[in-house]
């Protein structure tokens, strides 16, 4: 009984749309299956960039044609973190079923914030699983967010609002009047500083404590600084320990930080965006045990749980403090006891967002597909691969290890006797660019103690030990070609 | 040359995974195609909830079995915003190709923040298209975020940091010392208050100005309040106008707000999360024209562009102020001129996040599939449907319109002579719950001027005019059964 004039965006031809979906599945399966033999990265031709600069189309075109455009201009020039030799930044691989879960989540299309529907319960179960993974108590609270930056700022917002008499949410920072300070190391991820800035504390509120030769926070300097600040009438409120720094995978001495936080009654937050899940690797478990006692922890699922982008998690030990930081109930979100308008406590009471997709589903399906034990093996494998790479580096006179291998990060560079620091830098920058341009591997770079270094961060479920041999051989080949 | 011991999360059997993908596509196509004849909502049985309370699995199981679990416990109990009679909150429908785009985005799995790869260019093109949709200048900047809450807080963070001498990012609010205030109406979405709280301004910094009978901000009261606050030595810094309030779709007098903002040198932000795209409907275009002059605008693409969750957009007129609020370059994000480490200005310089999925792709493919003209028609259709519903309500003695129909929101309720306000409330709450429980339609509710009302918010690409007849008939049937 469709009216002549009724319009919709649904396809005229459902069968054709179904076939297009099958085609996409086939193309993705072929892509993943053959990825090892493909170049990891290709330069984007000028004409492709040009095609991605056109104005908004006035009229539509056949979905098949849209897909052709995608296959021509978008798909071939992918970032590459699906490839077994992607080691840049810290970006996970994804898995086929994780991707299919995103398809299903998008197809169901629930806003997973409020109401009585299955996504709310899957989300809750996944947050509970996250507590289990981190050894957090069952009565802790948590929320899935886009990633580490949002996970950290969410936790620090709770920490800030829980400070003192807890009047900051209402009165604001100026109304409260204290000079709040948070402590982290110089190796802490930049998102902690960004969080402090966004939360209104300002760059100046972040005390960056120097690190030792292993890039771990110097605890004695931390305590000295806290005392100096208290004596100056300032208000320390939080310590941020890092479980796996982005530069070198270093782990701050979490147990000592926890002690200091308790001693001075400060919030203890752990940024485990990259490394918290390493607690599943027996080699690292003991150094991460204090994480279980933290007031809050942030970690990513698209790194070491290898689910597709984007999803991270914040856990807060004290659920009431968590809820008190964010909960509000406007008239248009009134809940009922029955029907769609019933359901669990709205998730918006625990974070910034009212619009939330069903990102829990890919974690739910992935953990059911593999079980936590398999993830423990995979994480341990990445760590062992990094150590293996470290040994390869050590065995070559032309290569130099730039930091102790910690977790799955190996920093090294090529050197030759008599080269200046600038010449070494130029050499390794050129190696970095060429090994990407040739499509072989994608490490990234950083600067440690003022020295430029290649950086291999491995949260890749497709990497094999042989890939580390390939990487080293190719770095040496390219480097010697340049020389 | 796979080593015996090398492990991965990739399937043992790619063909079986391919077939599973095809099965999912088929199930989704059948679901969407037949959705009109399905119940919009089903209660979740206790045993299903029980099944979603189990601990994290230790060992994995076959992906097919995981999918069976999903089909049994998750898929049947969906929220329902894919259904043609979903009118709750303001949640869009999604489209098949939009969902398939999410599949492709997840399968490519780029972190769309940094680097030289296609997703960066698609994201940039989509942000440019968003500027075109809003009539913003080409040299404005913008960023795609999860939705309205994040879009609004991103804009207000820029507004806050741009205030005065621009030292707030560095020195923090206490270091700056001013009592910053922002102005919005009592009908403004709760995320504005939440943004002020998170940004450290506090609940008390939000001046909620009363509204007129059409639920639009009273401009004379706004100006009075600003003057009172200046006289008291406080620091007004921003006015938030709403283009489509969440309760009734009201539009604040944007042109007058713009004038006042200019007069007092305040940042003018428009929360158009729901309604900004109504500027494509000629009936509303003239009332939204001042939006083009705003300092910033926030709007959702998963509402009136009908793309699947989650994606919203913030546009900022002054790109430098935008970048100055967020940009930072740590050592591990150094850029090169060539290779993967080249590429456009990192998107993290324009917002909170470093982890960003490829949410641009669904907008890119959807706008190419339909063109902007079709969206203009669809948005106009939703508005005409709301007006049609308003006329149906007017024609029934037992129904009462609770607010002027504005954009695509119609607030009404059932009444009977002699009923008290409490009896009317109880009746309509029961109608709301039963019409959901019977699987017919999902309106939601709100409170206007202290009175409970049903609320029909229509950003649904599957709705037909006849659905409004069905809704009214069923409300009356159920209401009279209750009476």
């Amino acid at each position: 009984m469709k009216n002549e004039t009724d319009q919709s965006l649904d396809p005229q031809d459902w069968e054709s749309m179904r076939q297009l979906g099958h085609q996409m599945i086939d193309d993705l399966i072929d892509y993943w299956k053959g990825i090892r033999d493909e170049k990891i990265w290709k330069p984007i031709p000028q004409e492709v960039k040009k095609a991605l600069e056109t104005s908004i189309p006035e009229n539509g075109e056949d979905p098949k044609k849209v897909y052709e455009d995608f296959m021509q201009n978008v798909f071939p020039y992918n970032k590459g973190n699906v490839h077994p030799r992607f080691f840049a930044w810290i970006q996970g691989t994804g898995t086929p079923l994780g991707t299919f879960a995103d398809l299903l989540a998008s197809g169901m299309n629930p806003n997973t914030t409020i109401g009585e529907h299955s996504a709310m319960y899957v989300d809750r179960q996944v947050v509970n699983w996250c507590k289990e993974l981190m050894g957090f108590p069952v009565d802790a609270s948590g929320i899935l967010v886009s990633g580490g930056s949002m996970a950290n700022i969410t936790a620090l917002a709770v920490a800030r609002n829980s400070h003192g008499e807890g009047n900051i949410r209402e009165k604001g920072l100026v109304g409260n009047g204290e000079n709040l300070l948070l402590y982290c190391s110089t190796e802490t991820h930049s998102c902690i500083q960004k969080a402090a800035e966004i939360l209104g504390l300002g760059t100046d509120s972040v005390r960056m404590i120097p690190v030792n030769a292993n890039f771990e926070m110097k605890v004695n300097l931390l305590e000295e600084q806290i005392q100096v600040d208290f004596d100056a009438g300032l208000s320390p409120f939080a310590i941020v320990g890092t479980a796996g720094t982005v530069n070198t995978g270093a782990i701050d001495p979490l147990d000592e930080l926890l002690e200091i936080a308790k001693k001075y009654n400060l919030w203890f937050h752990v940024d485990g965006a990259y490394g918290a899940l390493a607690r599943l690797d027996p080699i690292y478990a003991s150094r991460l045990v204090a994480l279980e006692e933290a007031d809050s922890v942030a970690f990513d699922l698209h790194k070491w749980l290898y689910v597709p982008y984007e999803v991270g998690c914040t856990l807060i030990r004290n659920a009431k403090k968590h809820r008190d930081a964010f909960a509000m109930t406007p008239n248009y979100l009134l809940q009922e006891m029955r029907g769609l308008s019933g359901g669990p406590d709205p998730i918006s009471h625990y974070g910034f967002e009212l619009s939330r997709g069903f990102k829990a589903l890919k974690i739910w399906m992935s953990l059911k597909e593999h079980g936590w034990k398999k993830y423990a093996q995979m994480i341990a494998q990445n760590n062992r691969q990094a150590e293996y790479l470290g040994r390869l580096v050590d065995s070559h006179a032309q290569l130099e290890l730039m930091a102790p291998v910690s977790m799955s990060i190996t920093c090294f560079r090529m050197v030759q006797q008599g080269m200046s620091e600038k010449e070494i830098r130029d050499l390794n920058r050129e190696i970095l660019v060429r090994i990407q341009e040739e499509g072989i591997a994608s490490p990234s770079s950083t600067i440690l103690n003022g020295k430029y270094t290649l950086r291999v961060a491995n949260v890749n479920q497709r990497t094999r030990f042989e890939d580390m041999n390939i990487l080293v051989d190719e770095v040496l080949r390219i480097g010697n070609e340049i020389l």
Side-chain angles (χ1 to χ4, degrees), chain A:
Chain A
M1 216 180 81
K2 186 167 177 305
N3 194 307
E4 270 295 297
T5 57
D6 283 322
Q7 297 200 55
S8 115
L9 299 181
D10 276 339
Q12 303 287 327
D13 178 354
W14 284 101
E15 275 317 300
S16 166
M17 188 61 83
R18 183 192 304 263
Q19 282 162 26
L20 186 60
H22 285 199
Q23 183 65 50
M24 291 172 180
I25 294 286
D26 290 344
D27 291 339
L28 282 175
I29 290 278
D30 292 345
Y31 175 64
W32 294 322
K33 191 177 166 189
I35 190 75
R36 171 166 289 278
D37 302 319
E38 292 297 318
K39 289 196 168 186
I40 191 171
W41 183 84
K42 285 199 264 302
I44 311 176
Q46 276 310 316
E47 64 269 23
V48 168
K49 291 189 183 178
K50 205 95 195 146
L52 295 173
E53 281 174 1
T54 53
S55 286
I56 190 167
E58 184 172 339
N59 298 301
E61 55 189 8
D62 190 280
K64 275 187 220 160
K65 175 69 179 57
V66 176
Y67 185 58
E68 277 169 27
D69 270 11
F70 166 82
M71 288 304 277
Q72 186 172 339
N73 293 325
V74 182
F75 197 58
Y77 309 104
N78 195 11
K79 188 166 203 176
N81 46 317
V82 288
H83 191 283
R85 283 186 298 278
F86 189 92
F87 308 123
W89 305 299
I90 307 185
Q91 304 185 353
T93 334
T95 67
L97 195 70
T99 289
F100 290 177
D102 270 342
L103 165 71
L104 299 168
S106 179
M108 291 178 71
N109 196 32
N111 179 339
T112 311
T113 302
I114 189 171
E116 172 76 354
H117 53 104
S118 56
M120 294 290 287
Y121 292 89
V122 173
D123 194 290
R124 187 161 80 179
Q125 186 174 34
V126 166
V127 169
N128 284 334
W129 289 356
C130 287
K131 293 179 209 165
E132 289 185 55
L133 285 169
M134 288 299 131
F136 256 53
V138 283
D139 63 354
S141 56
I143 184 169
L144 300 176
V145 295
S146 63
S149 296
M150 286 304 296
N152 280 305
I153 194 174
T154 300
L156 291 176
V158 180
R160 184 200 66 181
N161 285 13
S162 305
H163 176 72
E165 294 173 17
N167 64 0
I168 290 174
R169 178 173 176 184
E170 189 184 339
K171 294 195 180 306
L173 290 164
V174 174
N176 171 275
E178 293 180 65
N179 284 285
L180 298 183
L181 297 174
L182 74 83
Y183 299 78
C184 59
S185 89
T186 50
E187 289 293 304
T188 303
H189 193 279
S190 59
C191 73
I192 299 297
Q193 180 187 323
K194 186 173 268 195
E197 293 169 352
I198 291 169
L199 293 172
L201 305 168
T203 327
D204 293 351
S205 72
V206 182
R207 293 283 194 249
M208 293 189 180
I209 308 298
V211 294
N212 64 22
N214 293 329
F215 301 96
E216 301 154 359
M217 198 194 299
K218 286 184 169 173
V219 180
N220 55 333
L221 296 187
L222 168 68
E223 189 161 7
E224 276 175 39
Q225 184 66 51
I226 290 173
Q227 286 169 343
V228 165
D229 289 330
F230 270 123
D231 290 348
L234 306 174
S235 299
F237 82 103
I239 297 173
V240 178
T242 300
T245 61
V246 60
N247 268 332
T248 68
I251 306 169
D252 284 331
L254 300 180
D255 41 1
E256 296 176 62
L257 298 188
L258 174 66
E259 283 312 307
I260 294 177
K262 281 183 180 164
K263 181 171 170 186
Y264 294 94
N265 196 25
L266 308 180
W267 186 280
F268 181 43
H269 172 67
V270 176
D271 174 10
Y274 155 48
L277 279 164
R279 63 192 297 278
L280 299 181
D281 176 1
I283 303 288
Y284 285 96
S286 67
R287 294 186 56 202
L288 294 167
V289 81
L291 206 151
E292 299 178 19
E293 305 287 322
D295 291 301
S296 53
V297 59
F299 67 107
D300 271 330
L301 291 312
H302 52 225
K303 291 189 169 79
W304 249 340
L305 220 67
Y306 313 97
V307 300
Y309 272 89
E310 47 183 58
V311 61
C313 179
T314 305
L315 296 178
I316 309 280
R317 175 168 307 279
N318 185 319
K320 181 174 183 306
K321 287 183 180 172
H322 191 180
R323 196 175 191 282
D324 284 348
F326 297 115
M328 51 172 71
T329 303
N331 288 338
Y332 44 85
L333 297 180
L334 293 178
Q335 287 200 277
E336 301 289 343
M337 295 300 290
R338 291 156 39 209
L340 171 66
S341 309
D345 201 19
I347 295 172
S348 53
H349 290 175
Y350 299 90
F352 291 31
E353 300 169 319
L354 256 177
S355 298
R356 294 180 78 248
F358 190 11
K359 45 172 70 79
L361 185 64
K362 55 190 156 197
I363 305 167
W364 190 81
M365 292 184 74
S366 296
L367 277 166
K368 287 169 80 75
E369 182 189 14
H370 299 296
W372 67 261
K373 271 193 169 172
K374 182 67 183 267
Y375 286 100
Q377 290 168 3
M378 296 300 303
I379 291 165
Q381 173 172 282
N382 284 159
N383 291 336
R384 301 300 87 75
Q385 288 167 339
E387 293 154 12
Y388 177 67
L389 174 58
R391 291 194 297 277
L392 290 178
V393 167
D394 273 339
S395 69
H396 282 276
Q398 281 185 298
L399 300 179
E400 176 181 32
L401 204 59
M402 297 299 288
V405 176
S406 184
M407 298 200 183
S408 67
I409 297 183
T410 313
C411 291
F412 73 100
R413 63 181 186 177
M414 190 165 172
V415 286
Q416 180 136 299
Q417 221 160 10
M419 285 177 88
S420 71
E421 191 57 37
K422 182 179 177 310
E423 286 166 336
I424 297 174
R425 180 187 170 116
D426 289 345
L427 170 66
N428 285 277
R429 285 180 73 171
E430 187 62 22
I431 292 172
L432 176 74
V433 168
R434 284 206 203 169
I435 204 166
Q436 292 171 354
E437 284 178 336
E438 292 186 24
I440 297 163
S442 289
S444 62
S445 68
T446 192
I447 292 170
L448 296 177
N449 298 321
K451 293 176 178 176
Y452 185 91
T453 179
L454 301 178
R455 178 174 157 278
V456 174
N458 181 359
V459 288
N460 193 320
Q461 58 94 352
R462 295 201 168 104
T463 302
R464 300 178 188 163
F465 282 84
E466 65 172 17
D467 290 310
M468 297 307 175
N469 294 85
I470 295 170
L471 177 70
V472 164
D473 292 349
E474 296 289 324
V475 164
L476 289 167
R477 174 186 63 77
I478 293 169
N480 284 314
E481 279 174 21
I482 297 167
L483 292 171

